[in-house]
Amino acid sequence: MSTNVLFDAPGPKARVRNRVYGVLASVAILGLIAFVLHRLDVTGQFQHGLWDTYQYNDTQERIVEGLLTTLKTFAIAAALSLALGALLATGRLSDHRPVRWAATVLVEFFRAMPLLIMIFLLYAAIFTTEPMWALVIGLTLYNGSVQAEIFRSGIKALPKGQSEAAYAIGLRKTQVMTGILVPQAVRSMLPSIISQLVVTLKDTSLGFIILYEELLFVGKSFAQQQVPVGGVYPFIPMVIVFGSIYILLCLALSGIANWIERRTKRSRKGAPPAPPVPVELGNAAGAGPAA
Amino acid sequence: MNVLTDHFAEFREGFLNTVELTVLSALLALVLGTLIAAFRVSPVPALRVFGTTWVTLLRNTPLVLLFLAVTLGLPALGLKGWDSFWLAVLALGCYTSAFICEAIRSGINTVPMGQAEAARSIGMTFGQTLSQVVLPQALRTAIPPIGSLMIALTKNTAIASGFNVAELGALQKQLNGDEGYNIYVIFLWIAICYLIITFVISGLFRLLESRMAVAR
């Protein structure tokens, strides 16, 4: 149901009413924004000195460094989680019961665990001096399990005829998987896979809590080191600047997912079934041209 | 085993705090999420824009950053004296509301067109159509995704430990290095506590789902 069915095309009265509501809502929303801006101004968040630092090369370099650390962590975690996802999905689809069970237990366990708790454990027990690996391995275990379920549901959603036909022409299970099922499943699940990568990207900020120097941590330590201007520490400018960076990064990645989703939808719609070709059974019906 | 019996009081407190945090932020998220979903399908463009912005911003913000924004932002807005527990409820509730809104919105999309058309043809206004006819059905179909969002919310409450809320996640930090307990054992007990909560939630939602299913 498209949402515009919820209300009629507005007539003159309803148009006036909607406009009144629209004005009221706009006033309320703008009022809220104005209140926030006013309060921030009153508490001195927009003072000149608080924002100056973002003009300096030194500051920008630190931000870029934090950004690169975040992106590096994300890239490693993304690659590893996709690999682990493929491995676990293979395990869950295995013909051998013990392998299937082991994979199921791993997937269920890592999906049910709060990621932060796992990262803490890895940090406290194994990677005490290397918070990056605690973060990367934690992200990999959690997102890998989720990706495994995405892969699996993609393969399960394929029409049964695909694997039946492949087996019928004598392919082995590995060949059926790698040659027939996985390519189709990945194609149809690509939007979900990328959405999960957005989650991975967002979760790199959990490194903040184990004091790993990624973007958010850089932001906070940076704000703490600044000299307060008029008794105000530059925390709000930091949240605004670093928040925008995160939102832009995630929006870019979700944008790719949406684009792929639109494209795959269009291509499916854009390829209509070929028009039925009239089958000629020789010239028996007398329809064909005479020889 | 010792660590649980020795520190039973802390475990109980952490467990109850996690449950409380989950329940309160879930309520906030459900109310806000439904409201924002109504905004997003309303005939008033200003509300639609607000709803879309809310969802886009919150879905693409890391939860830790949101926690930071709430903890640092509210005092700057002059709203001082909030306890860290309520700040956590606010951050978790707003964050989850964006996802709830999308779950409800896709629930609305599954309600057959005839339902809204019939409601309109007997003269119901948009508000009546939505609240009496469409939303009750949409909420029922949205139960399974909302259930998984609630489980995600439970897991996200662990982040509150980084912001001075004494819930289960904080136990690991607190007990680690204390009296030389094996950290894996501590982890295991905390894990079991979370599993209890998530199992109860998924059971509850499965029950709801079977009770409330819409016959179509």
Side-chain angles (χ1 to χ4, degrees):
Chain A
M1 190 183 72
S2 67
T3 47
N4 60 1
V5 191
L6 283 172
F7 46 88
D8 266 315
K13 250 167 106 181
R15 263 206 299 274
V16 171
R17 203 172 52 223
N18 283 350
R19 212 164 288 155
V20 171
Y21 288 155
V23 169
L24 285 179
S26 312
V27 168
I29 295 165
L30 291 178
L32 194 68
I33 295 172
F35 168 76
V36 169
L37 291 180
H38 172 71
R39 285 302 314 180
L40 290 181
D41 191 33
V42 167
T43 49
Q45 305 296 344
F46 294 128
Q47 286 178 74
H48 208 252
L50 286 187
W51 294 82
D52 283 353
T53 167
Y54 291 104
Q55 296 169 0
Y56 302 144
N57 280 341
D58 191 36
T59 311
Q60 289 162 2
E61 268 163 31
R62 280 186 68 181
I63 295 179
V64 170
E65 220 168 89
L67 183 63
L68 288 180
T69 315
T70 285
L71 288 178
K72 186 180 78 182
T73 315
F74 166 66
I76 303 176
L80 287 179
S81 69
L82 287 174
L84 181 69
L87 190 72
L88 285 176
T90 316
R92 289 207 68 175
L93 292 165
S94 165
D95 288 334
H96 307 286
R97 198 171 289 165
V99 177
R100 217 160 53 216
W101 281 353
T104 310
V105 167
L106 285 180
V107 166
E108 291 300 334
F109 181 76
F110 288 122
R111 278 204 313 169
M113 246 336 80
L115 179 52
L116 185 62
I117 303 277
M118 196 115 67
I119 292 175
F120 259 141
L121 174 76
L122 288 165
Y123 179 55
I126 306 169
F127 300 104
T128 15
T129 51
E130 290 166 287
M132 184 185 114
W133 286 105
L135 184 59
V136 166
I137 304 291
L139 285 170
T140 301
L141 290 175
Y142 174 70
N143 290 292
S145 317
V146 179
Q147 298 282 16
E149 288 301 276
I150 295 176
F151 291 146
R152 196 173 69 99
S153 60
I155 287 175
K156 287 268 175 209
L158 290 175
K160 229 178 161 194
Q162 296 289 330
S163 52
E164 280 170 355
Y167 283 123
I169 57 170
L171 297 183
R172 276 176 289 111
K173 182 167 181 193
T174 319
Q175 290 173 317
V176 175
M177 276 290 174
T178 54
I180 312 285
L181 299 183
V182 169
Q184 297 188 67
V186 165
R187 184 168 180 273
S188 66
M189 299 314 276
L190 208 50
S192 310
I193 293 170
I194 297 178
S195 305
Q196 190 56 35
L197 289 181
V198 176
V199 175
T200 314
L201 177 59
K202 286 201 299 183
D203 283 350
T204 55
S205 64
L206 287 175
F208 172 79
I209 294 178
I210 55 167
L211 311 181
Y212 174 52
E213 300 191 343
E214 44 72 57
L215 188 57
L216 193 59
F217 187 82
V218 167
K220 188 163 182 223
S221 57
F222 175 74
Q224 273 166 342
Q225 287 159 10
Q226 301 298 308
V227 186
V229 179
V232 180
Y233 283 92
F235 281 115
I236 303 295
M238 182 277 285
V239 167
I240 295 174
V241 170
F242 286 79
S244 321
I245 299 178
Y246 270 108
I247 290 174
L248 287 179
L249 280 182
C250 296
L251 273 182
L253 205 52
S254 349
I256 296 175
N258 287 339
W259 178 71
I260 289 176
E261 197 169 5
R262 260 202 321 275
R263 243 181 73 110
T264 47
K265 244 185 214 159
R266 190 174 55 203
S267 72
R268 225 170 267 160
K269 220 186 285 169
V277 181
V279 182
E280 286 191 33
L281 299 169
N283 285 335
Chain B
M1 189 65 207
N2 282 340
V3 67
L4 182 68
T5 43
D6 291 355
H7 292 273
F8 191 73
E10 282 100 322
F11 266 96
R12 192 185 53 204
E13 201 204 327
F15 184 80
L16 291 179
N17 275 351
T18 295
V19 172
E20 208 179 334
L21 192 57
T22 310
V23 170
L24 289 173
S25 30
L27 285 178
L28 179 64
L30 283 172
V31 172
L32 262 181
T34 315
L35 189 70
I36 304 281
F39 280 2
R40 289 203 69 176
V41 297
S42 79
V44 182
L47 290 179
R48 283 205 298 266
V49 171
F50 176 74
T52 315
T53 316
W54 177 273
V55 170
T56 314
L57 283 185
L58 285 173
R59 280 213 310 180
N60 290 298
T61 309
L63 186 53
V64 187
L65 181 72
L66 194 62
F67 262 99
L68 209 58
V70 168
T71 335
L72 300 170
L74 281 194
L77 293 178
L79 301 164
K80 284 181 183 141
W82 281 51
D83 142 20
S84 57
F85 179 83
W86 288 102
L87 290 173
V89 169
L90 192 65
L92 285 165
C94 289
Y95 180 76
T96 313
S97 78
F99 296 89
I100 300 264
C101 165
E102 290 307 274
I104 292 178
R105 218 161 60 96
S106 55
I108 289 178
N109 283 332
T110 64
V111 178
M113 215 185 269
Q115 296 285 330
E117 281 173 349
R120 285 198 287 120
S121 71
I122 58 168
M124 283 185 160
T125 61
F126 167 74
Q128 287 169 327
T129 310
L130 193 64
S131 62
Q132 319 270 313
V133 178
V134 176
L135 259 190
Q137 300 185 57
L139 280 174
R140 288 171 170 202
T141 29
I143 286 174
I146 289 178
S148 30
L149 286 176
M150 291 296 125
I151 288 174
L153 170 65
T154 311
K155 294 189 293 170
N156 283 337
T157 56
I159 294 177
S161 66
F163 294 83
N164 301 322
V165 180
E167 42 69 79
L168 279 173
L171 276 178
Q172 204 171 18
K173 263 196 290 191
Q174 187 192 329
L175 296 179
N176 177 25
D178 183 29
E179 303 164 44
Y181 289 117
N182 186 344
I183 183 158
Y184 292 102
V185 178
I186 302 175
F187 172 75
L188 198 68
W189 285 117
I190 294 176
I192 290 173
C193 288
Y194 276 107
L195 283 182
I196 293 173
I197 302 176
T198 49
F199 274 148
V200 169
I201 293 178
S202 66
L204 216 63
F205 271 85
R206 215 167 308 141
L207 194 73
L208 264 181
E209 203 187 326
S210 60
R211 284 276 179 88
M212 311 270 284
V214 194
R216 285 208 183 106

